[in-house]
Amino acid sequence: MIKILLAVGVVLFCSAGYGLFAEKLLKLKPTGFTAPLGFVLLLCTLQLCYYPVQFFNGSVSWSYASSYLIFGCLLLYSLFHIKELFKRYWQWNTLWIIASFLAFIAVFYQLFIDIGFSDSPMYLNYIAQNIDNQHLNLFNLYSGKVGAEWDALYLFQGYYHFGTFLCHIINVPSVLLGIGGKIDNIVISTWGLGMIYSLISSMLIVNFAEGLKIKQKSVKYVLIAFTLFFSNFYYWRVAFAFYGNTYRTLLAAYLIYTAYCWLRDKEDSLKYVMMFIVGAGLACSSSYLFISFAILFSLAAYLFVSKKENAFVDMSIIVLPMAIYAVAMFSRNKEIPWIAPALALIFIAYYSLRFTKWMKKIIDIIEKFFFKHGKFIFFILIPVLMMVFAAYVNFFKPDYLYDYAYYFNNHQDYDMVKDYYFIYSHIFDNILNIIRWIGVILILWKAQSEEQNYIKSLFVMMLILFLNPLATTAVAYLIASNVFYRTVEVLFNPFTEMLILLAVIQWLDQREWIKRMLLVILCVEIVVGHVASYLDSDWGLYTFHVNGGKTVNPIYKISDEEIEAIHVLEGLIKRDRNRFNDEHQPTIISHAEGVRTFLPNVYQIFTARDYYYIWNRVDWIFYDLARRHYDWEAPATEDYARSCGYLDYYDVDYLIIQYWENPEFDKATDACAITEITTAKFKIKSVTKNE
């Protein structure tokens, strides 16, 4: 763990230095902690260097080389400016960061990551399998089968390749120099990346509070405490802090905050910061493409309606990372192969000719058109057209899944979102929901300054288009697919929640006792959210995950029995290594979770994903025979005598069977497999090969 802490410290130190460098280069006003800006720039820079390797499935060595170069330069710069950085971080607000970080460590230690039913294995495998990969991303993220790329949505997230680099560099002393023990990838990925998220998010939240220039200290401290210790401790921001997807909401908040400051402070250079935030968000999560589109579409609408000078050019700067990402994504579209080169030519033509006289004339014509008709186009025409199209899909495409009714599903049951509509929330959440919606109404009612009117415009756009139940079918069909509901994070995120709560508090300025009661309620919510988590209550912030944490090793996040079984399998693969080559990976059936984070080069025929995504199963009957049979399920009705035939057909080498959950499969495979080890929970078998 000391190595991980040192690595996290170096990343934060380099990020702080990079943020300081950006402030000086762009002549920005000091923003408090520089690490959040620096980390955004770091992710953006790494992603830019990773694109060629990702695009051509090159060797991971190239991404390592660029990462070493970038970190080397940043480390030197940060060391040269260490006194200045020390002064910036030697402040009272640093105590908030330390307290939040210690709370994160204490809570995360007790949680599990639901590796059997979440996306955790996909992201952990993504990081692990690329560590020594000569063909980056050329494998299935779940099963590990090599030779072909998986979904294009996951191919261009440099955050996970940064995670790969972190696993690599932490183990360099052990692997190359024999100094110290090797740390398993699952520990580095979950703890290392999780710690980075905790620190960066905490610093950014404190920056938000300071940036709002709240005069009353008690109000500022309560808002910081609530956002740090309540909003930032929703289960996924702790248990899944290592996900790139967890940055989705944080960087949405950062993008809105930067736009807010850009309009308030008239710092023109902040548009470049917004560009970097978009780039970093896309490097973390493909969903950020849609989230940032919603934010920037709303920003463009506001700029055109308010007739801001250079609105078109400013927006074209901010969306540059989206243009690059779109070209990369569409390059994998085999059905319409011409779309990527066409987009690339359009973008290259625009960005290279932007300063020519005739292009300026075209831009001027476009701006004048939107200045004149923008309000009608953005706030009436487009929402109406989307509602009409949504009605068409609902009535004439009845098989489309994401219809009107889907909007009202309990999305928090299967995604990292909250319910803000009073339908599926408990009483304490609904108290907050009442406060939130009162704050939204107050912002819509009382907005006066330019930055406040921007937030008002953003909220209106969310309500009439992106979160309008009469339009979301169209949003899903044309833009966002099944995750359209995630745009609620544009309305409610760490920054906008601060603004919303502040609006309510300021409205209550003349009602001092009610204001104090509201501040007390926010403090009580923090206490209840944490305490209830340990009392097996639905009111808890992370109840389910702390209950699951009792069944796993607190460091490895899987059970000790699974770790034991995986290490036995590792020994068997080493014993039989001469059997495996580029044509045949070690092929396994495993009831133990997390196998591929330890052994990333094995091919696991059935994974956690197959439980939900039935169309992914390579064979339905084989899956039903070989999978774990949970306590709440009936046994398979298939003929278990066929088990050995399937093992032979799919050339399976090893089995890790939870024999008390699927004793039928265990017994059936005795005819064609040798039991190597039996533990309290698992049997590890080698399949007999027919010569």
Side-chain angles (χ1 to χ4, degrees):
M1 195 60 74
I2 292 174
K3 288 182 184 178
I4 294 174
L5 284 168
L6 286 173
V8 169
V10 170
V11 172
L12 266 292
F13 184 56
C14 290
S15 297
Y18 207 174
L20 184 67
F21 171 75
E23 280 188 0
K24 293 175 182 292
L25 182 67
L26 298 175
K27 298 179 181 177
L28 301 171
K29 294 176 186 175
T31 55
F33 296 113
T34 57
L37 173 58
F39 188 66
V40 157
L41 288 164
L42 175 62
L43 286 178
C44 222
T45 308
L46 289 171
Q47 180 60 63
L48 200 60
C49 294
Y50 293 162
Y51 265 129
V53 190
Q54 293 167 337
F55 190 85
F56 295 107
N57 304 115
S59 170
V60 72
S61 302
W62 290 101
S63 65
Y64 287 165
S66 57
S67 301
Y68 275 118
L69 180 62
I70 291 164
F71 273 100
C73 293
L74 290 178
L75 189 58
L76 287 173
Y77 181 87
S78 301
L79 287 169
F80 276 122
H81 294 82
I82 192 167
K83 288 185 179 179
E84 195 171 351
L85 288 171
F86 181 78
K87 289 178 183 177
R88 290 289 288 273
Y89 284 77
W90 187 255
Q91 55 168 298
W92 287 111
N93 278 336
T94 302
L95 295 176
W96 286 112
I97 312 307
I98 295 170
S100 177
F101 182 63
L102 292 175
F104 171 84
I105 296 294
V107 171
F108 185 57
Y109 183 82
Q110 300 171 78
L111 304 188
F112 85 143
I113 58 174
D114 195 17
I115 201 166
F117 295 97
S118 69
D119 286 336
S120 294
M122 178 181 74
Y123 295 127
L124 292 171
N125 298 345
Y126 193 7
I127 291 168
Q129 193 159 350
N130 273 320
I131 290 174
D132 296 312
N133 203 340
Q134 296 308 304
H135 300 286
L136 207 70
N137 293 347
L138 210 59
F139 58 89
N140 182 300
L141 272 59
Y142 268 94
S143 70
K145 188 174 179 63
V146 299
E149 290 180 333
W150 203 49
D151 194 324
L153 287 172
Y154 301 95
L155 296 178
F156 301 101
Q157 270 68 60
Y159 171 80
Y160 295 104
H161 300 132
F162 162 66
T164 295
F165 175 70
L166 201 65
C167 290
H168 158 78
I169 197 167
I170 286 174
N171 280 318
V172 160
S174 170
V175 174
L176 296 184
L177 305 175
I179 300 172
K182 187 175 183 290
I183 302 176
D184 288 305
N185 299 324
I186 194 171
V187 179
I188 298 172
S189 299
T190 54
W191 283 92
L193 294 175
M195 288 177 187
I196 291 170
Y197 174 82
S198 172
L199 290 163
I200 293 296
S201 61
S202 299
M203 290 180 192
L204 195 51
I205 286 166
V206 172
N207 282 356
F208 291 161
E210 293 296 341
L212 287 174
K213 302 175 183 178
I214 304 167
K215 293 179 182 178
Q216 198 170 345
K217 287 187 177 180
S218 60
V219 171
K220 182 172 73 172
Y221 294 156
V222 169
L223 288 180
I224 290 175
F226 177 78
T227 313
L228 275 182
F229 297 104
F230 186 86
S231 299
N232 212 34
F233 273 81
Y234 289 144
Y235 75 86
W236 63 89
R237 292 174 185 161
V238 187
F240 303 142
F242 62 95
Y243 283 19
N245 228 4
T246 308
Y247 282 91
R248 185 184 69 223
T249 314
L250 185 71
L251 294 179
Y254 196 9
L255 184 59
I256 296 168
Y257 170 74
T258 307
Y260 179 91
C261 294
W262 181 49
L263 295 167
R264 182 191 65 189
D265 302 333
K266 313 303 179 190
E267 279 191 274
D268 193 55
S269 295
L270 284 174
K271 66 190 177 190
Y272 298 106
V273 175
M274 283 190 272
M275 177 184 72
F276 295 132
I277 294 168
V278 173
L282 294 172
C284 291
S285 169
S286 57
S287 291
Y288 195 76
L289 181 64
F290 170 53
I291 298 294
S292 59
F293 172 79
I295 295 168
L296 297 179
F297 181 85
S298 305
L299 178 60
Y302 175 76
L303 296 180
F304 286 126
V305 170
S306 60
K307 297 181 172 60
K308 186 181 183 299
E309 188 179 355
N310 293 324
F312 187 90
V313 171
D314 287 345
M315 288 305 304
S316 70
I317 291 169
I318 298 168
V319 303
L320 177 58
M322 295 175 73
I324 297 170
Y325 185 78
V327 171
M329 281 272 293
F330 282 115
S331 71
R332 282 353 193 218
N333 191 323
K334 295 177 182 178
E335 295 177 3
I336 318 174
W338 53 267
I339 195 166
L343 285 175
L345 285 173
I346 292 169
F347 294 144
I348 290 168
Y350 168 75
Y351 286 106
S352 59
L353 301 173
R354 185 163 60 90
F355 297 105
T356 60
K357 287 183 179 180
W358 63 273
M359 182 61 80
K360 285 180 180 178
K361 287 182 180 179
I362 294 172
I363 291 171
D364 189 52
I365 292 168
I366 293 171
E367 282 190 340
K368 285 178 179 176
F369 175 80
F370 281 110
F371 286 166
K372 186 176 181 180
H373 305 289
K375 185 176 287 188
F376 171 74
I377 291 170
F378 287 105
F379 292 95
I380 298 175
L381 181 62
I382 293 175
V384 168
L385 288 176
M386 293 292 272
M387 284 189 281
V388 169
F389 185 74
Y392 163 76
V393 173
N394 274 276
F395 291 112
F396 295 99
K397 292 180 178 287
D399 294 333
Y400 188 65
L401 291 174
Y402 315 123
D403 57 6
Y404 289 140
Y406 188 81
Y407 180 92
F408 297 100
N409 280 8
N410 188 7
H411 303 297
Q412 62 184 359
D413 263 2
Y414 45 79
D415 203 353
M416 306 188 312
V417 293
K418 292 289 288 180
D419 167 49
Y420 298 98
Y421 305 124
F422 305 98
I423 304 172
Y424 304 104
S425 299
H426 56 73
I427 185 169
F428 276 87
D429 265 354
N430 277 334
I431 290 170
L432 286 176
N433 285 338
I434 291 169
I435 297 168
R436 287 177 179 122
W437 285 107
I438 289 172
V440 169
I441 293 167
L442 288 170
I443 286 173
L444 295 176
W445 174 28
K446 290 181 168 289
Q448 293 178 338
S449 63
E450 187 174 5
E451 67 276 9
Q452 289 171 349
N453 279 317
Y454 159 62
I455 297 297
K456 175 182 176 180
S457 175
L458 176 71
F459 284 6
V460 168
M461 187 62 74
M462 291 303 110
L463 295 173
I464 65 173
L465 179 57
F466 293 101
L467 292 174
N468 177 358
L470 297 178
T472 48
T473 299
V475 173
Y477 194 93
L478 299 172
I479 309 170
S481 189
N482 61 308
V483 295
F484 68 86
Y485 54 81
R486 289 179 178 174
T487 40
V488 76
E489 296 169 351
V490 177
L491 200 59
F492 300 111
N493 57 65
F495 174 64
T496 55
E497 281 207 340
M498 267 194 188
L499 273 180
I500 287 165
L501 292 172
L502 188 59
V504 177
I505 291 166
Q506 289 173 343
W507 180 56
L508 296 172
D509 268 342
Q510 304 306 314
R511 305 166 184 84
E512 188 64 28
W513 69 274
I514 301 178
K515 185 171 83 171
R516 289 180 181 176
M517 187 183 296
L518 174 58
L519 296 178
V520 170
I521 287 171
L522 295 178
C523 293
V524 169
E525 290 277 0
I526 298 170
V527 175
V528 169
H530 286 279
V531 172
S533 298
Y534 296 94
L535 299 177
D536 196 23
S537 168
D538 291 340
W539 294 357
L541 290 165
Y542 41 83
T543 303
F544 175 73
H545 291 79
V546 82
N547 287 340
K550 297 169 185 175
T551 67
V552 300
N553 181 296
I555 301 298
Y556 285 83
K557 303 304 177 187
I558 58 176
S559 69
D560 288 326
E561 291 86 356
E562 285 168 319
I563 296 170
E564 180 187 9
I566 291 166
H567 284 315
V568 170
L569 176 61
E570 184 178 19
L572 295 176
I573 292 172
K574 285 181 180 177
R575 181 195 70 186
D576 303 332
R577 58 184 173 273
N578 293 332
R579 286 166 44 188
F580 309 118
N581 51 47
D582 292 340
E583 302 299 320
H584 178 63
Q585 298 170 252
T587 304
I588 66 169
I589 299 291
S590 176
H591 296 167
E593 309 294 352
V595 174
R596 293 209 329 98
T597 62
F598 291 84
L599 303 169
N601 295 316
V602 304
Y603 168 34
Q604 186 176 352
I605 292 181
F606 300 118
T607 70
R609 187 177 181 83
D610 294 292
Y611 188 83
Y612 291 109
Y613 300 96
I614 59 176
W615 54 86
N616 281 331
R617 299 170 187 171
V618 296
D619 190 297
W620 287 37
I621 296 175
F622 188 23
Y623 172 80
D624 210 29
L625 293 172
R627 68 182 175 87
R628 288 177 64 181
H629 292 158
Y630 297 98
D631 296 339
W632 59 86
E633 295 177 321
T637 57
E638 309 295 344
D639 181 7
Y640 278 91
R642 302 171 67 182
S643 298
C644 285
Y646 279 113
L647 295 180
D648 181 57
Y649 181 79
Y650 286 101
D651 205 5
V652 177
D653 298 294
Y654 306 103
L655 309 172
I656 299 180
I657 302 174
Q658 199 152 292
Y659 53 87
W660 53 273
E661 283 197 346
N662 193 344
E664 297 88 356
F665 184 65
D666 173 37
K667 185 177 180 181
T669 55
D670 281 340
C672 55
I674 299 168
T675 300
E676 302 281 358
I677 298 242
T678 300
T679 71
K681 195 173 183 180
F682 296 101
K683 280 187 182 178
I684 300 90
K685 297 183 174 184
S686 296
V687 178
T688 306
K689 296 293 179 180
N690 295 323
E691 298 297 335

